[in-house]
């Protein structure tokens, strides 16, 4: 009897400790989702129906009866549709060139295509102004005045901003196509055109659909490009900013925010279904397609891809170049005087953004790791609703989330008011803005972890904490590194989610760039943008170096 007690008591103690740790792992991130996502979104809805001392639909009636709202809505939908069509078309060209064609220099295309992701969204607008504005390089070279402000300028800027997403999503679909299918088609005498029409396009349709909805969501919710180059072409994002910052009408801003939320939620839901259909269609044991050089196909695709990349380099490169020009466009001598920022605070917002980004990256990576670890130990019926909640922030535009935070945390009715005006709150909104991408990335790593590893550790007497440290964390370490740097880089360049949360004493880099441009200090805005891009590029190189070292160490351990 005593032997039974001595063996079962430690087992029960380990089981109780594991159960408690599982509750903590799930409970803390879940509490964060409730406090910093669900609760603020509820406040936005409540403010949208707040009328006087009660509630009603008066705010909606007023907004829906406004010609300005419907003009901004039509502009947003039309801009989103046009940008989506152009981004997906150009993205398919580049993705097809990278994964279905054979030509040298693909590394250069892959390097260039990510550049828009390394800069605040308004950098595309700044670059177009330096190229095509009244004093732009191309405008002066051609001797004509191009009106870049408005629809066409915003369309080009948004397309450049959304293009990397389209390339990555469509490329992920094309890389999954089985080479054996094409070999069978060739044996049957199908021409390359017939293979493209009957095999490539149908197999990639869900990737194309997914890319379309992602591009539409990015475009309809973007604020930076619209604020800089939109001119009189109002969109819903600038309408929210006008209501909140310009008119201090928070209730009307909440209504417009809810209206902006509707198309993005619908788009996100359809995009999720497309992703599921694409994953369902994947086959086990696929053979990766290795294209053979075909001049008639590959040379035009290479040329088109390089031309598109040249446009990206021109738009972003001109911003860097303009930051060193003494007086654009009258004195083109190089100088560093624009790096002496004259706006109040100077570079303080850049250093603060780095600190905030590190906070968001470190805290966010830990939170999603704990949540993924805890969900692995929960029954499916309990875990699935939590996973759905964890994926929901992607459906909320940054402008709406930022508006929700200012309505929630700028009120003394809640103890969370203490967070308002702090770097911690901006770090939190940055994390929850990109929570879905971080969570899904880490869950992908957890799905690749064999259950047998954890079961073996449990048989050897290791509890959940020991298993997490010695087994789980090392296995998913590459994903953890990727999530950390992803959150850091996105926090460095985001604008829409934080534009409402800055104060005279606390600002971030993207908002400083916007203020410099608003003040007419365009060259200083270019200089500040260059500094931000330099930090993000260093972070990207750091991520690649870290992952390379980890891979080299794993190969050495495997060889030994």
């Amino acid at each position: 009897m005593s032997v039974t007690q001595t063996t079962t008591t430690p087992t029960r103690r380990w089981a109780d400790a594991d159960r408690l740790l599982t509750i903590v792992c799930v409970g803390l991130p879940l509490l964060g989702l409730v406090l910093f996502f669900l609760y603020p979104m509820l406040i936005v809805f409540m403010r949208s129906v707040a009328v006087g001392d009660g509630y009603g639909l008066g705010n909606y009636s007023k907004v829906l009866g406004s010609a300005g709202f419907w003009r901004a809505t039509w502009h947003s939908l039309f801009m989103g549709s046009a940008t989506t069509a152009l981004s997906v078309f150009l993205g398919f060209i580049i993705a097809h060139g990278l994964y279905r064609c054979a030509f040298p220099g693909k590394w250069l295309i892959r390097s260039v295509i990510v550049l828009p992701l390394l800069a605040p969204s308004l950098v595309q607008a700044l670059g177009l102004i330096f190229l095509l504005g009244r004093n732009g390089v191309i405008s002066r070279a051609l001797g004509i005045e191009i009106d870049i402000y408005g629809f066409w300028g915003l369309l080009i800027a948004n397309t450049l901003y959304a293009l990397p997403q389209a390339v990555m999503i469509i490329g992920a679909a094309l890389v999954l196509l089985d080479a054996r299918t094409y070999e069978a088609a060739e044996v049957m005498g199908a021409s390359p055109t017939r293979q493209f029409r009957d095999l490539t396009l149908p197999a990639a349709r869900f990737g194309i659909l997914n890319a379309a909805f992602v591009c539409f969501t990015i475009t309809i919710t973007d604020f930076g490009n619209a604020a800089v180059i939109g001119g009189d072409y109002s969109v819903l994002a600038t309408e929210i900013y006008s209501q909140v910052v310009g008119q201090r009408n928070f209730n009307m801003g909440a209504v417009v925010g809810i209206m902006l939320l509707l198309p993005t939620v619908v788009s996100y839901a359809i995009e999720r279904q497309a992703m599921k259909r694409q994953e369902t269609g994947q086959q086990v044991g696929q053979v990766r397609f290795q294209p053979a050089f075909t001049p008639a196909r590959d040379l035009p695709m290479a040329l088109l891809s390089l031309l598109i990349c040249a446009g990206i380099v021109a738009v972003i490169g001109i911003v860097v170049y303009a930051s060193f020009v003494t007086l654009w466009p009258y004195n083109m001598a190089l100088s560093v005087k624009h790096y002496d920022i004259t706006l109040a605070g100077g570079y303080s917002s850049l250093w603060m953004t780095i600190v905030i980004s590190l906070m968001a990256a470190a805290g966010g990576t830990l939170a999603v790791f704990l949540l993924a670890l805890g969900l692995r130990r929960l029954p499916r019926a309990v875990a699935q609703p939590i996973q759905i909640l964890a994926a929901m922030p992607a459906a909320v535009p940054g402008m709406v989330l930022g508006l929700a935070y200012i309505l929630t945390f700028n009120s003394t009715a809640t103890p969370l008011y203490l967070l308002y005006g702090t770097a911690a709150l901006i770090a939190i909104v940055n994390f929850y803005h990109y929570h879905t991408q971080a969570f899904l990335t880490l869950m992908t790593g957890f799905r690749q972890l064999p259950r047998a590893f954890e079961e073996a550790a449990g048989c050897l007497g290791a509890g959940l904490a020991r298993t997490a440290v010695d087994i789980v964390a090392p296995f998913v370490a590459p994903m953890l590194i990727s999530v950390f740097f992803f959150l850091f880089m996105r926090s460095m360049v985001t604008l829409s989610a934080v534009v409402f949360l800055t104060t005279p004493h606390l600002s971030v880099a993207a908002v400083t760039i916007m203020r410099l441009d608003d003040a007419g200090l365009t060259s200083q805005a270019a200089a500040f943008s260059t500094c931000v891009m330099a930090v993000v590029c260093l972070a990207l190189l750091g991520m690649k170096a870290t992952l390379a070292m980890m891979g080299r160490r794993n190969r050495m351990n495997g060889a030994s």
Side-chain angles (χ1 to χ4, degrees):
M1 181 67 68
S2 61
V3 173
T4 303
Q5 289 177 345
T6 56
T7 56
T8 58
T9 300
T11 302
R12 187 179 300 112
R13 188 181 302 117
W14 278 115
D16 292 341
D18 285 355
R19 191 176 297 111
L20 178 61
L21 185 56
T22 300
I23 294 173
V24 172
C25 287
V26 176
L28 289 179
L30 186 59
L31 179 62
L33 280 167
V34 171
L35 289 179
F36 299 108
F37 176 66
L38 283 183
Y39 177 55
M41 294 309 300
L42 177 62
I43 294 297
V44 169
F45 175 75
M46 297 302 293
R47 287 296 294 268
S48 72
V49 296
V51 181
D53 295 331
Y55 297 97
L57 299 178
N59 294 330
Y60 285 88
S61 299
K62 187 175 181 180
V63 169
L64 294 177
S66 168
F69 168 77
W70 288 112
R71 182 172 59 253
T73 301
W74 163 248
H75 286 174
S76 291
L77 295 176
F78 186 71
M79 176 60 66
S81 301
T83 302
T84 298
L86 188 56
S87 299
V88 171
F89 176 71
L90 298 179
F92 185 84
I93 290 175
I94 295 178
H96 190 270
L98 289 175
Y99 298 103
R100 311 300 297 176
C101 300
F103 55 82
K106 289 185 178 181
W107 65 271
L108 179 62
I109 296 175
R110 290 191 177 97
S111 301
V112 170
I113 202 65
V114 301
L115 289 179
L117 298 178
L118 307 181
S121 62
L122 49 76
V123 167
Q124 282 73 232
L126 282 176
L128 288 174
I129 292 172
F130 283 119
L131 283 173
L132 300 171
R134 295 179 182 89
N135 291 317
V137 173
I138 296 177
S139 301
R140 292 174 66 87
L142 297 177
I144 60 175
E145 185 172 325
I146 302 174
D147 187 9
I148 194 61
Y149 295 92
F151 173 79
W152 292 108
L154 189 55
L155 175 64
I156 299 172
N158 284 337
T159 299
L160 294 176
Y161 185 57
L163 185 59
Q165 304 283 351
V167 173
M168 289 187 291
I169 296 171
I170 297 174
L174 292 177
V175 78
L176 295 173
L177 304 187
D178 199 331
R180 293 171 297 185
T181 306
Y182 290 86
E183 292 173 358
E186 289 182 2
V187 171
M188 296 176 66
S191 65
T193 303
R194 183 72 180 272
Q195 293 178 33
F196 176 80
R197 186 187 66 191
D198 295 343
L199 297 179
T200 303
L201 283 180
R205 65 187 184 278
F206 291 119
I208 295 172
L209 183 63
N210 183 25
F213 285 109
V214 168
C215 291
F216 180 82
T217 302
I218 291 173
T219 302
I220 202 173
T221 60
D222 179 65
F223 171 71
N225 285 323
V228 173
I229 206 171
D232 295 331
Y233 194 85
S234 61
V235 293
L236 287 174
T238 55
E239 187 70 15
I240 295 175
Y241 186 79
S242 174
Q243 291 286 347
V244 174
V245 176
Q247 304 178 34
R248 310 299 295 177
N249 195 335
F250 292 99
N251 290 355
M252 293 301 168
V255 173
V256 179
I258 294 295
M259 301 305 292
L260 177 60
L261 188 62
L262 296 179
T264 57
V265 168
V266 173
S267 178
Y268 174 74
I270 298 175
E271 180 260 337
R272 285 285 91 197
Q273 291 300 316
M275 280 293 293
K276 290 179 182 178
R277 293 291 297 272
Q278 181 177 334
E279 292 170 359
T280 303
Q282 296 177 13
Q283 301 175 3
V284 179
Q286 290 177 320
V287 178
R288 184 166 183 174
F289 181 78
Q290 298 293 337
F293 180 68
T294 306
R297 177 198 63 191
D298 296 347
L299 292 179
M301 295 299 293
L303 179 60
L304 288 173
S305 299
L306 290 173
L307 284 175
I308 298 169
C309 290
I312 296 175
V313 172
V315 169
I316 295 181
I318 197 68
V319 173
V320 178
Y321 174 69
S323 70
F324 292 100
V325 171
T326 303
L327 181 61
W328 186 279
Y330 306 106
N331 184 356
M332 304 299 284
L334 299 183
S335 170
V336 295
K337 73 170 192 174
H338 299 302
Y339 285 85
D340 181 16
I341 305 300
T342 58
L343 198 70
Y347 283 101
S348 61
S349 63
L350 177 61
W351 307 122
M352 180 54 65
T353 305
I354 294 174
V355 172
I356 290 171
S357 300
L358 288 172
M359 292 167 60
T365 303
L366 177 61
V368 294
F369 175 75
L370 292 177
L371 182 58
L373 180 67
L375 289 176
R376 197 170 171 85
R377 296 296 184 102
L378 293 181
R380 180 177 176 83
V382 179
Q384 193 166 16
I386 300 176
Q387 291 180 9
I388 294 174
L389 175 60
M392 284 175 59
V396 178
M399 289 290 292
V400 178
L401 190 61
L403 175 63
Y405 270 52
I406 193 173
L407 294 178
T408 302
F409 301 106
N410 195 25
S411 171
T412 55
T414 170
L416 297 174
Y417 171 78
L418 297 175
L419 288 171
Y420 185 74
T422 65
L425 186 61
I426 297 180
I428 291 170
V429 75
N430 282 337
F431 166 53
Y432 285 102
H433 187 198
Y434 299 105
H435 181 278
T436 302
Q437 295 90 326
F439 173 73
L440 294 179
T441 299
L442 201 56
M443 286 297 292
T444 301
F446 269 83
R447 291 192 188 99
Q448 297 171 0
L449 174 63
R451 291 276 185 181
F453 288 2
E454 297 172 277
E455 293 171 359
C459 292
L460 293 173
L464 177 58
R466 184 69 179 272
T467 302
V469 173
D470 294 344
I471 303 295
V472 179
F475 188 90
V476 299
M479 294 293 187
L480 290 173
I481 296 297
S482 299
V483 167
F484 176 87
F485 281 99
F486 167 78
L487 290 174
F488 176 83
M489 291 187 288
R490 298 314 299 165
S491 297
M492 282 295 303
V493 301
T494 189
L495 172 64
S496 59
V498 301
V499 68
F500 293 133
L501 299 178
T502 57
T503 67
H505 306 290
L506 176 66
S507 187
V508 294
V511 174
T512 299
I513 296 171
M514 186 180 71
R515 289 175 177 168
L516 285 167
D517 180 69
D518 288 341
L521 303 172
T522 311
S523 295
Q524 290 191 26
F528 212 97
S529 300
T530 302
C531 293
V532 173
M533 289 188 286
V535 173
V536 179
C537 286
L538 288 174
L540 179 62
L541 293 175
M543 180 185 72
K544 289 184 175 295
T546 303
L547 292 175
M549 287 189 295
M550 291 177 62
R552 190 180 302 112
R553 186 180 61 186
N554 291 337
R555 287 193 296 271
M556 292 176 61
N557 292 338
S560 61

